[in-house]
Amino acid sequence: MAATPTHRVSSGERLNSADPTGHLQKTLRAKGIRLTRQRRVILEVMDNAEQHLDVDQILERAQKIDPAVHLVTVYRTIDLLKKEGLIDELDLLHLRGDRHYYETHGPRDHIHVACLRCGKVREFESRLYEQLKEQIARDFNMRVTVSRTEVGGICDACLASEKK
Amino acid sequence: MAATPTHRVSSGERLNSADPTGHLQKTLRAKGIRLTRQRRVILEVMDNAEQHLDVDQILERAQKIDPAVHLVTVYRTIDLLKKEGLIDELDLLHLRGDRHYYETHGPRDHIHVACLRCGKVREFESRLYEQLKEQIARDFNMRVTVSRTEVGGICDACLASEKK
DNA sequence: ATAGATGCAAATATTTTGCCGCCAG
DNA sequence: CTGGCGGCAAAATATTTGCATCTAT
């Protein structure tokens, strides 16, 4: 089942084949990890995603490029990318069931802010967040490698329509 | 198996109060929510828990008090408490599979800090975290009602044994 | 008395695994 | 050529639901 509000992304992945290899593909190649046809497709989907996707959405998009991609392969490739630390896993406070969402790991961590009423998810970056993680690393004398922050509430628009 | 419900507090349970009825029980009663035998037991378990528990742990502890508690009832009671905003749900970065953990919602939010190597989970409170949430509320003009932050890394001890 | 809760079994939902043939390097 | 990879089916894990019965208020 599709979950998150489908953004715009029309049918087809409008991939300019001028783009030789995406970032994920380059990284995996550099690590000497075998690049199969299916992997290439899935990596391409992840690289081009404008927002977090769940496995079914990844599968759907991948199959538009190459119908021979199997759900299991999506799971296995996701596992690989998680292990390599190239993607982040979210569950968006279980807004839509116990499904997981994935997105490529950008240079800066960001926080996912979800409206519990309308389901809209926005992203948020803050120096405070970086400071917080530094504080944790310092206080516990540990090396912080992953972090996930999800915040829920009632958004601007929903608050307005509520008190109307 | 125990035919005699001696009403002893199980070994894992810290009886930190002579409370006749715990906090959760009082709150639900005040809200006019029906308190069944099973619910009382589960609420007691949650109130006395010294840390986050998963459903199986909740069931196990509940059945030590009253063996007639069913797993389904644990799930349904957890749902109730979630809906009432009395407990928090965590998944600790899926350290141990896609299992959820629950803990009573204290006065202050805290961050869960997990070691990805040894699995130890510690808690962390910080004024910075409160500021961060305020900043989000202000920037998005929204009312923040829930938040979850989970941080993973390699802890002090594991770092030491690693470089040994 | 009665709305709502529980128990039990079965259904769902999500993710993982075993096995074997196939392909990238 | 060969060891890792993908497809398929089936298993494993986690959670929810239908329905008859029971119980707190």
Side-chain angles (χ1 to χ4, degrees):
Chain A
M1 307 121 55
T4 35
T6 340
H7 226 247
R8 64 199 68 180
V9 175
S10 47
S11 48
E13 201 61 22
R14 104 175 130 77
L15 200 286
N16 38 344
S17 12
D19 202 0
T21 54
H23 171 255
L24 288 176
Q25 245 177 94
K26 275 194 203 121
T27 310
L28 286 194
R29 178 176 297 282
K31 287 182 175 235
I33 288 169
R34 186 183 296 192
L35 285 181
T36 61
R37 186 165 46 84
Q38 294 85 331
R39 278 188 183 170
R40 265 183 251 267
V41 172
I42 295 168
L43 298 178
E44 183 183 319
V45 168
M46 295 307 292
D47 261 330
N48 291 348
E50 74 298 339
Q51 54 142 223
H52 47 263
L53 302 174
D54 66 31
V55 278
D56 293 312
Q57 293 173 313
I58 295 171
L59 179 67
E60 199 184 329
R61 294 180 182 204
Q63 291 188 333
K64 277 185 190 152
I65 305 174
D66 179 346
V69 175
H70 197 280
L71 178 60
V72 171
T73 303
V74 173
Y75 273 112
R76 289 199 264 229
T77 304
I78 289 293
D79 277 350
L80 174 70
L81 294 173
K82 268 198 291 185
K83 229 169 279 165
E84 298 295 332
L86 299 174
I87 58 172
D88 287 328
E89 180 178 64
L90 326 166
D91 54 29
L92 299 179
L93 296 166
H94 306 121
L95 220 59
R96 316 267 309 175
D98 293 340
R99 175 181 255 77
H100 292 145
Y101 299 87
Y102 303 92
E103 63 183 18
T104 64
H105 187 78
R108 278 177 84 81
D109 279 341
H110 55 258
I111 295 169
H112 288 89
V113 183
C115 176
L116 301 176
R117 187 95 80 219
C118 67
K120 189 164 53 185
V121 178
R122 290 184 286 187
E123 300 183 349
F124 186 75
E125 272 187 21
S126 165
R127 208 166 42 78
L128 276 180
Y129 192 41
E130 302 304 317
Q131 288 172 357
L132 181 62
K133 287 183 294 181
E134 282 163 24
Q135 191 183 41
I136 291 168
R138 211 175 326 113
D139 279 27
F140 287 150
N141 191 34
M142 73 185 290
R143 189 198 310 153
V144 170
T145 56
V146 295
S147 70
R148 181 165 80 187
T149 293
E150 299 174 332
V151 171
I154 315 291
C155 77
D156 203 5
C158 287
L159 278 176
S161 69
E162 182 179 79
K163 76 173 51 148
K164 193 208 58 175
Chain B
M1 298 275 171
T4 10
T6 34
H7 209 65
R8 248 184 64 214
V9 179
S10 64
S11 43
E13 218 113 334
R14 184 103 206 94
L15 77 162
N16 45 7
S17 70
D19 266 312
T21 57
H23 171 255
L24 288 176
Q25 243 177 94
K26 275 193 202 123
T27 309
L28 285 193
R29 178 176 296 283
K31 288 184 176 233
I33 287 170
R34 186 182 294 191
L35 286 180
T36 61
R37 187 166 44 85
Q38 293 85 330
R39 278 189 183 168
R40 265 183 251 267
V41 173
I42 294 168
L43 299 179
E44 183 184 320
V45 168
M46 294 307 293
D47 262 330
N48 291 348
E50 72 297 336
Q51 53 140 223
H52 48 264
L53 303 174
D54 66 31
V55 277
D56 292 313
Q57 293 172 311
I58 295 171
L59 179 67
E60 199 184 329
R61 292 181 182 204
Q63 290 187 333
K64 276 186 187 149
I65 304 175
D66 179 346
V69 175
H70 196 280
L71 177 60
V72 171
T73 303
V74 173
Y75 273 113
R76 289 199 265 231
T77 303
I78 289 293
D79 278 348
L80 174 71
L81 295 173
K82 266 198 291 185
K83 230 170 279 167
E84 298 295 332
L86 299 173
I87 58 171
D88 287 327
E89 181 178 64
L90 326 166
D91 55 28
L92 300 178
L93 296 167
H94 307 120
L95 219 61
R96 314 264 310 172
D98 293 340
R99 180 179 258 80
H100 292 144
Y101 298 87
Y102 303 93
E103 63 183 18
T104 65
H105 187 79
R108 280 178 82 83
D109 279 340
H110 54 258
I111 296 169
H112 288 90
V113 182
C115 176
L116 302 176
R117 186 95 81 220
C118 67
K120 188 163 52 182
V121 178
R122 289 184 285 187
E123 300 182 351
F124 186 74
E125 272 187 24
S126 165
R127 211 164 42 77
L128 274 180
Y129 192 40
E130 303 304 317
Q131 288 172 357
L132 181 62
K133 286 183 293 180
E134 283 162 25
Q135 190 183 40
I136 291 169
R138 211 176 326 113
D139 279 25
F140 287 149
N141 191 33
M142 73 184 291
R143 190 198 309 151
V144 170
T145 57
V146 297
S147 70
R148 180 165 79 186
T149 293
E150 299 175 333
V151 170
I154 314 292
C155 77
D156 203 7
C158 286
L159 278 176
S161 70
E162 182 180 80
K163 77 174 51 150
K164 190 210 60 179

